[in-house]
Amino acid sequence: MHHFRIDLRSDTKTIPSAAMRAAMAQASVGDEQLDEDPSVNELVARVSTLLGKQKALFLPSGTMCNLIAVLVHCRPGDEIIAADNSHLISSESAGATALAGAQIRPVPAERGIFSAEQVAIAVRPQKVNAPTTRLIHVEQTVNRGGGAIWPIDVLRDLARFSRERGLAMHIDGARLMNAVVGSGVDAKDYGDCCDSVWLDLSKGLGCPMGAVLAGSDEFIEAARRWKFRLGGAMRQAGIVAAAGLYALENNVSGLQTDHQKARRFADALSSHECVLVGNPETNLVFFEINSRRMNAAQLAHELALEGIGIGVESATLLRAVTHLDVSTANVDEAAATICRILR
């Protein structure tokens, strides 16, 4: 196993800072399962206000947030509309199908962003032998769309359509605060577009774990029951909730720096004739290599030998993610090392 001096594989690789650890050590705690943990209660209240929702629920992971949202919104035999490159389809062990009995209808979408017109085509006719379209699923930002930000006008169009057609709309907020910082759109404006939304704490915000799912009182009441069923209820969870509170106070502004580092990395790679690099909107950089000498996995291996971690997406495609534990100097070194190896 390699030890990476510079880890660009994901923003989940962040290590809690000394200040965050101190906040965790000093956290007021209680029985979260009985709503007796002051730090958890403060965190969910803060996030529900941030997202403009009535109530929120602290959960161990974003994947559980997505799964619980599907379980609340859908019944067996229902159908979810999602982008063909969504995390829900590619990276959640088919939880929606395995546990909720709901199937997903993928919509071909450039950078993972689709329109209300595309959804109108994808919605099933009301026939006894067809699945019932129930939920529109949106990922903000779009991971495999290169960190693309959903424009607020597109989300508002989808929200209007979903309400007219009696569909639920859910936002996977794995990198929602990156979208807020990158677009200047308030988090509440995104929240107003959907019936449920969650905010991840363990990516760019630098926490060791956790996500917060928000929605109406009725939605969260149903979600809380699923949290118990899935084994997601915790005891003195304030220790990790305190990390989330610290992050919301101290780490949001740093996301803009992460975006700048991603742009710097992409610009440095674009000078190499063997590299075709995408246009990063936030903190994700996808780049394609065209080399007779090596493929993506071989390049990642060579980088690992020099203590640099990077993600492999296909035989030619790689992903780099900037975060608070990657400095500008680290980004420069990683880009220069890639160019040198490809030379």
Side-chain angles (χ1 to χ4, degrees):
M1 182 178 292
H2 294 285
H3 172 70
F4 296 113
R5 297 179 296 107
I6 303 170
D7 201 339
L8 294 165
R9 291 174 297 168
S10 176
D11 41 9
T12 61
K13 304 302 181 184
T14 53
I15 303 297
S17 65
M20 181 179 283
R21 288 173 187 256
M24 294 167 70
Q26 296 161 13
S28 298
V29 299
D31 193 334
E32 182 269 347
Q33 210 174 101
L34 299 178
D35 287 334
E36 294 175 357
D37 192 299
S39 298
V40 171
N41 293 342
E42 183 182 350
L43 175 64
V44 297
R46 184 172 297 190
V47 173
S48 62
T49 300
L50 177 71
L51 299 176
K53 295 301 181 188
Q54 290 179 325
K55 209 165 185 180
L57 188 67
F58 185 47
L59 292 168
S61 73
T63 296
M64 186 177 281
C65 289
N66 272 343
L67 177 58
I68 287 178
V70 169
L71 286 160
V72 173
H73 289 306
C74 298
R75 297 294 175 266
D78 285 348
E79 188 166 68
I80 303 160
I81 294 174
D84 56 356
N85 64 354
S86 69
H87 194 273
L88 187 71
I89 293 174
S90 66
S91 303
E92 298 187 13
S93 298
T97 303
L99 299 177
Q103 68 182 34
I104 304 172
R105 186 165 200 182
V107 175
E110 184 178 357
R111 305 199 80 193
I113 297 171
F114 49 80
S115 65
E117 290 75 20
Q118 287 175 281
V119 174
I121 294 169
V123 171
R124 301 282 187 176
Q126 293 186 343
K127 294 168 59 179
V128 71
N129 62 344
T132 301
T133 304
R134 188 72 66 191
L135 178 65
I136 300 171
H137 174 276
V138 165
E139 186 182 330
Q140 180 76 303
T141 64
V142 187
N143 180 351
R144 288 180 175 83
I149 300 172
W150 279 78
I152 189 63
D153 290 344
V154 175
L155 289 175
R156 286 173 174 155
D157 285 344
L158 281 174
R160 279 191 291 269
F161 177 85
S162 67
R163 288 159 189 161
E164 288 169 3
R165 299 296 290 269
L167 305 176
M169 185 162 157
H170 171 68
I171 294 181
D172 168 338
R175 294 180 176 88
L176 183 69
M177 296 312 294
N178 290 91
V180 168
V181 170
S183 67
V185 174
D186 194 274
K188 184 179 180 298
D189 292 333
Y190 289 131
D192 288 344
C193 294
C194 61
D195 299 282
S196 57
V197 55
W198 59 273
L199 174 69
D200 197 284
L201 302 171
S202 69
K203 294 186 173 67
L205 293 179
C207 299
M209 61 169 285
V212 183
L213 176 65
S216 66
D217 287 335
E218 182 182 17
F219 172 84
I220 293 299
E221 183 180 354
R224 190 165 184 266
R225 186 174 293 274
W226 275 112
K227 175 181 176 177
F228 274 79
R229 286 174 179 152
L230 297 174
M234 298 170 278
R235 295 297 180 181
Q236 288 71 40
I239 290 174
V240 281
L245 290 167
Y246 176 88
L248 290 173
E249 285 289 334
N250 298 280
N251 291 353
V252 173
S253 60
L255 297 175
Q256 185 60 52
T257 304
D258 293 341
H259 300 174
Q260 292 165 357
K261 288 180 287 191
R263 164 54 58 193
R264 185 182 181 98
F265 181 74
D267 288 346
L269 289 182
S270 65
S271 63
H272 198 288
E273 66 276 7
C274 292
V275 177
L276 178 63
V277 64
N279 179 32
E281 290 185 47
T282 51
N283 67 323
L284 277 68
V285 182
F286 284 75
F287 61 99
E288 196 107 23
I289 61 168
N290 177 23
S291 170
R292 295 178 182 178
R293 289 187 53 245
M294 63 178 60
N295 59 28
Q298 290 167 330
L299 174 58
H301 175 71
E302 292 295 321
L303 287 168
L305 295 178
E306 303 204 28
I308 300 171
I310 202 158
V312 177
E313 296 289 317
S314 73
T316 58
L317 186 66
L318 298 104
R319 185 188 79 159
V321 188
T322 55
H323 50 79
L324 54 82
D325 287 349
V326 174
S327 67
T328 299
N330 292 156
V331 163
D332 291 344
E333 181 183 347
T337 305
I338 290 169
C339 291
R340 171 170 54 80
I341 291 171
L342 289 174
R343 243 179 252 124

